Amino acid sequence: GENVEQHPSTLSVQEGDSAVIKCTYSDSASNYFPWYKQELGKGPQLIIDIRSNVGEKKDQRIAVTLNKTAKHFSLHITETQPEDSAVYFCAARGGNTPLVFGKGTRLSVIA
Amino acid sequence: GAVVSQHPSWVICKSGTSVKIECRSLDFQATTMFWYRQFPKQSLMLMATSNEGSKATYEQGVEKDKFLINHASLTLSTLTVTSAHPEDSSFYICSARVPGSRNIQYFGAGTRLSVL
């Protein structure tokens, strides 16, 4: 089955700097890669996703890149703000199978 | 995005009692819903996939008699933790897949269960 590795587990950045979180997946059949933001005591919130027919997708300060050959995908947050502090999860899925999540990255944006 | 409502957000119960958690899709019909469990500072662990009108599919190691799932309508799935014990204390989160969206999945706000 699918296995998703996520790095780093914790990340601290200064406000205004960029943050990058990386994930790798194992199943070449996976074709959908969402990113979720989870704040303390809340459910995960979908912030951006990308499908295997696209290499990059951007939504304001958030971007996701996908390298199908290397089975890598990354989340990029630019101009970070304190409210970006949260736990971020990557996930992968192929077809109708359930999402497989990475272990999460705790992002702290220091004002 | 689509809205998934989960209730209650927090429940405390005595050991041996049963607790029901509701998950509703508010603005779409969800033929497939998912139930996850999350321990502190850990990732989401899929417990089961709930399909409207049929039996839930449980992940390996999840006791189906312990965690009863009912998906009786296209907008409601329930998870009942039967005969709860302190080790069942956890954060439970439901999720629903939006039909026709090529598998986009939205999550509820979660339910924190504390068993005394």
Side-chain angles (χ1 to χ4, degrees), chain A residues 16-35:
Chain A
D17 287 351
S18 296
V20 180
I21 303 171
K22 298 181 179 181
C23 288
T24 60
Y25 61 99
S26 61
D27 189 350
S28 57
S30 288
N31 57 12
Y32 176 63
F33 309 93
W35 286 89

Side-chain angles (χ1 to χ4, degrees), chain A residues 36 38 43 51 93 95-96 102, chain B residues 38 43 97 102-103 105 109:
Chain A
Y36 290 88
Q38 186 177 28
R51 300 185 189 277
R93 177 174 62 211
N96 223 23
Chain B
Q38 187 177 35
S43 189
R97 185 179 285 172
R102 295 172 63 194
N103 292 329
Q105 215 170 298

Side-chain angles (χ1 to χ4, degrees), chain A residues 32 36 38 41-44 46 51 89 93 95-99 101-102 106, chain B residues 36 38 41-44 46 91 93 97 101-109:
Chain A
Y32 176 63
Y36 290 88
Q38 186 177 28
K42 298 183 179 180
L46 178 67
R51 300 185 189 277
F89 291 98
R93 177 174 62 211
N96 223 23
T97 60
L99 281 172
F101 286 86
R106 184 170 300 275
Chain B
Y36 294 82
Q38 187 177 35
K41 297 186 178 181
Q42 293 193 22
S43 189
L44 289 82
L46 179 66
F91 194 53
I93 315 172
R97 185 179 285 172
S101 68
R102 295 172 63 194
N103 292 329
I104 292 178
Q105 215 170 298
Y106 292 97
F107 284 80

Side-chain angles (χ1 to χ4, degrees), chain A residues 5-108:
Chain A
E5 299 283 340
Q6 182 172 347
H7 298 280
S9 57
T10 60
L11 178 60
S12 291
V13 298
Q14 292 289 330
E15 182 178 359
D17 287 351
S18 296
V20 180
I21 303 171
K22 298 181 179 181
C23 288
T24 60
Y25 61 99
S26 61
D27 189 350
S28 57
S30 288
N31 57 12
Y32 176 63
F33 309 93
W35 286 89
Y36 290 88
K37 175 184 180 182
Q38 186 177 28
E39 297 177 335
L40 189 62
K42 298 183 179 180
Q45 176 190 8
L46 178 67
I47 55 172
I48 196 167
D49 59 9
I50 192 167
R51 300 185 189 277
S52 58
N53 58 345
V54 175
E56 184 174 357
K57 184 177 178 181
K58 189 174 182 180
D59 182 4
Q60 299 182 340
R61 297 188 295 110
I62 296 173
V64 57
T65 58
L66 171 66
N67 182 329
K68 284 170 43 182
T69 304
K71 299 198 191 78
H72 289 174
F73 59 112
S74 301
L75 177 71
H76 304 252
I77 306 175
T78 59
E79 301 172 28
T80 53
Q81 300 167 5
E83 50 265 39
D84 294 329
S85 297
V87 179
Y88 291 81
F89 291 98
C90 64
R93 177 174 62 211
N96 223 23
T97 60
L99 281 172
V100 177
F101 286 86
K103 292 188 182 298
T105 297
R106 184 170 300 275
L107 173 65
S108 299

Side-chain angles (χ1 to χ4, degrees), chain B residues 10 25 35 70-71 93:
Chain B
W10 187 27
S25 56
W35 287 96
N70 184 284
H71 193 160
I93 315 172

